[in-house]
Amino acid sequence: MVKITYHGHSAFEIKSGNHNIIIDPFLEGNKHAKIRPSDVKANYIILTHAHGDHLGSAFDIAKKNGATVIAVNELADYAAEKGCKAHNMHIGGGYNFPFGRVKFTIAHHGSSSPDGRYMGEPAGVIITINGKNIYHAGDTGLFLDMKLIGEMTSLDVALVPIGDNFTMGIDDAVKAVEFLNPKLSVPMHYNTFGIIEADPNEFKRKVESIGKKCIIIPFGESIEV
Ligand code: NI
Ligand code: MN
């Protein structure tokens, strides 16, 4: 069993047994987050890219917990420079960690640090833990290779941005679900700021209309898969 907790925006915790992973821990300044960075207990922190609304408090959480930051090379180097343990990876590469496997995928977006440095390519990530394959799309526009991701890996859960403006909007995200063909889709990256307002119920209705399953995880709540 794998527990997935949603902290709003693109921040998710994934727990299985003793393994606690947090993805894109933007908690401070995230009006939907019900926990503070100091509440987080994590062994690993996975970052899709370095924008402030994804990097969040990753480095503070990493140092406090002695957790390892997993990211693409440039961002992992930046984490190490800031005093964190880091594991450098890159797009297309997978690695078997104690909790399971992490593989980075493409994402069509940008990635720079809050101080304006180039942070490599943005990414999506497939996490395999306790027999479940969870895809976090990161920030991205729609791309046809999502079909390949879904063909190569039987996805249990796909976490997809729906907020438009910086990422896919609802209709593109529904197409993404069609391409990815996951057992379950979950919307993210919406309603944190005015410019990314989107109705997750509209996404859910449209996903269900193509015969796929969707769960809107309420902020601060969890599902088990
Ligand atoms: Ni971004
Ligand atoms: Mn973002």
Side-chain angles (χ1 to χ4, degrees):
M1 200 186 60
V2 179
K3 186 176 175 188
I4 301 172
T5 304
Y6 185 40
H7 296 300
H9 209 57
S10 298
F12 290 85
E13 274 182 278
I14 297 180
K15 295 186 184 184
S16 179
N18 299 325
H19 304 297
N20 291 355
I21 301 155
I22 190 161
I23 309 169
D24 288 357
F26 170 56
L27 303 172
E28 262 174 331
N30 169 357
K31 66 180 182 185
H32 297 130
K34 294 184 166 65
I35 58 167
R36 289 163 304 173
S38 56
D39 299 327
V40 176
K41 300 268 178 288
N43 317 110
Y44 288 90
I45 299 164
I46 299 175
L47 298 175
T48 62
H49 64 296
H51 287 157
D53 60 318
H54 297 259
L55 183 62
S57 305
F59 298 159
D60 290 340
I61 294 168
K63 283 183 268 190
K64 181 165 178 281
N65 289 272
T68 301
V69 175
I70 303 171
V72 299
N73 195 58
E74 294 81 355
L75 177 51
D77 276 348
Y78 184 66
E81 196 183 298
K82 298 287 181 188
C84 303
K85 279 195 281 184
H87 183 106
N88 299 39
M89 295 185 68
H90 232 303
I91 290 161
Y95 185 82
N96 295 323
F97 291 90
F99 61 83
R101 187 168 176 83
V102 170
K103 184 179 181 184
F104 280 100
T105 72
I106 60 167
H108 290 317
H109 193 65
S111 183
S112 53
S113 63
D115 54 359
R117 283 168 54 184
Y118 170 68
M119 285 289 127
E121 292 296 302
V125 65
I126 302 165
I127 300 157
T128 302
I129 181 166
N130 203 0
K132 303 290 179 188
N133 296 314
I134 300 162
Y135 169 61
H136 185 298
D139 276 359
T140 186
L142 178 64
F143 54 91
L144 186 58
D145 284 12
M146 285 177 173
K147 234 174 173 162
L148 187 60
I149 293 171
E151 273 174 30
M152 297 291 288
T153 308
S154 170
L155 299 174
D156 293 282
V157 183
L159 312 170
V160 293
I162 66 163
D164 219 348
N165 194 76
F166 298 113
T167 68
M168 298 186 281
I170 288 173
D171 290 337
D172 283 8
V174 172
K175 195 69 182 174
V177 171
E178 186 187 321
F179 287 161
L180 293 162
N181 194 28
K183 291 194 181 77
L184 178 66
S185 56
V186 174
M188 66 174 180
H189 211 270
Y190 63 91
N191 293 355
T192 326
F193 322 114
I195 203 166
I196 59 166
E197 262 166 35
D199 177 5
N201 291 296
E202 181 190 339
F203 172 71
K204 182 176 159 75
R205 272 197 312 275
K206 288 181 171 175
V207 165
E208 286 169 352
S209 77
I210 60 163
K212 301 297 297 172
K213 208 173 155 198
C214 172
I215 290 183
I216 300 164
I217 309 178
F219 303 123
E221 294 190 21
S222 306
I223 58 167
E224 283 174 355
V225 295

